[in-house]
Each structure stands twice: as structure tokens, then as C-alpha cells.
Amino acid sequence: MRTTTSLLGSDRGISQGAILSPLMCNLYLHDFDIALEKANIPFVRYADDFLLFTSSKALAEKALDHVRGIMAKLDLELHEGKTRVARSSPELVFLGERLPAPKR
């Protein structure tokens, strides 16, 4: 989630280390979770990090477009440097854990 600070203090959001940060993140992204569930897009989310699961690259691109729309409604944006469509494999790491290769 995007937060900014200035010399005069925070002008948007809560600092990442604040004790309320995880709670506020989950409260704010609850609507995001519900929207993904309604769209039948399997996902896993930890704070503001998440993975979407699809069976094809075309569905992944469609799911990513849907996420961009949800984020825009929440006045959030994806970090384009960290956002990509990829096939699950042990080379991919999410929250310090290697992902499994998909079963065939």
C-alpha cells in the first residue's frame, strides 16, 4: 500500500511500522478480498502482498486487469516493478518461500 511522509508528518496512510498498520491494511483490503472472491479468482494475500492463481496466461492477464480496476476503486495502485504474470515454479519466491511447480 502506498504511504507518503513529509517533514510535516504523514499526509496519507499509516507508517509501515505502526502497531495499527496490519489491522488497517486488512480492514482496508477486505473489499479487495471480497471482490476477488466474487470474481472467482483464487488468491492468497498477506498484508499487501498477494498472488492470484489461474489456469492459463490469458486468464492471468484478465485477472490482473480486474485487480487494477479493484485497486483504482480503492484509490490504490499496483507496484509495476513487482507486478508480473508468471508460471508457478521453485524459482518464484513469495514471502521468503519458493512456490511449487504446478502439477500436470
Side-chain angles (χ1 to χ4, degrees):
M1 292 180 25
R2 178 180 48 178
T3 60
T4 58
T5 55
S6 66
L7 292 174
L8 301 176
S10 179
D11 61 350
R12 182 177 183 170
I14 297 173
S15 64
Q16 190 172 8
I19 196 164
L20 288 178
S21 184
L23 173 66
M24 297 306 292
C25 176
N26 285 323
L27 288 173
Y28 197 77
L29 290 178
H30 179 73
D31 289 341
F32 174 75
D33 297 344
I34 298 300
L36 289 177
E37 288 176 7
K38 285 183 180 177
N40 293 316
I41 300 172
F43 70 100
V44 61
R45 182 177 67 78
Y46 183 83
D48 62 347
D49 295 317
F50 60 91
L51 298 173
L52 308 177
F53 301 97
T54 64
S55 58
S56 70
K57 185 174 181 177
L59 288 174
E61 296 289 350
K62 186 176 177 182
L64 184 55
D65 286 341
H66 186 66
V67 163
R68 284 191 175 101
I70 298 167
M71 291 290 193
K73 290 177 184 174
L74 295 172
D75 196 28
L76 297 171
E77 56 190 32
L78 295 173
H79 186 294
E80 292 303 325
K82 297 180 179 181
T83 302
R84 62 185 168 140
V85 172
R87 186 167 177 81
S88 182
S89 75
E91 288 80 37
L92 291 176
V93 178
F94 179 67
L95 302 174
E97 296 292 325
R98 295 190 177 280
L99 298 180
K103 294 181 181 179
R104 303 224 178 229

